[in-house]
Amino acid sequence: MAITVNLRYKGKNGSALAFAKEMTESGTVDLIRAEDGNLKYEYYQSLDDPETILLIDSWRDQKAIDIHHASPMMQTIATLREKYDLHMTVERYISAETPETEEKFIRK
């Protein structure tokens, strides 16, 4: 049962994109991806709103998320969020198997 958290970072004057770039270029993203239980950590830019960056963050289970939240990287992330004056919305999802009825719509 994986848990996926979608975080939308909203900023001004390109600050959300600058945040994502600094997270990536500083190596923080690679460190997070290497954490036990991390399944995905990827940033995307909205086509509708270039001031919004979406982070898709997936973990094996809640225990892995809790360990990540207790790690020093959370302070790094919090500091960068403040630096770029970002505001966030968060959505959480628990994985489910794809129903057979939907498989025909998925092109692999």
Side-chain angles (χ1 to χ4, degrees), residues 75-99:
Q75 183 56 52
T76 299
I77 295 167
T79 299
L80 290 176
R81 287 174 183 163
E82 287 295 318
K83 174 182 175 180
Y84 291 103
D85 191 26
L86 299 179
H87 299 275
M88 304 161 39
T89 59
V90 179
E91 301 166 331
R92 264 176 82 97
Y93 303 95
I94 297 174
S95 64
E97 296 296 321
T98 303

Side-chain angles (χ1 to χ4, degrees), residues 1-4 9 16 21 27 42 50 61 73 83 87-88 98:
M1 171 187 74
I3 299 171
T4 298
Y9 289 105
K21 285 182 178 180
E42 296 179 3
D61 54 27
M73 276 175 278
K83 174 182 175 180
H87 299 275
M88 304 161 39
T98 303

Side-chain angles (χ1 to χ4, degrees), residues 46-87:
S46 172
L47 295 175
D48 296 325
D49 179 3
E51 296 297 338
T52 297
I53 296 292
L54 169 66
L55 167 62
I56 299 177
D57 189 15
S58 294
W59 297 85
R60 179 183 56 233
D61 54 27
Q62 186 60 48
K63 181 179 178 184
I65 293 172
D66 292 343
I67 291 168
H68 169 65
H69 284 165
S71 77
M73 276 175 278
M74 287 308 299
Q75 183 56 52
T76 299
I77 295 167
T79 299
L80 290 176
R81 287 174 183 163
E82 287 295 318
K83 174 182 175 180
Y84 291 103
D85 191 26
L86 299 179
H87 299 275

Side-chain angles (χ1 to χ4, degrees), residues 31-54:
L31 292 172
I32 294 168
R33 289 177 179 158
E35 286 184 86
D36 184 41
N38 183 263
L39 305 174
K40 179 185 282 192
Y41 196 91
E42 296 179 3
Y43 290 103
Y44 298 90
Q45 187 171 25
S46 172
L47 295 175
D48 296 325
D49 179 3
E51 296 297 338
T52 297
I53 296 292
L54 169 66

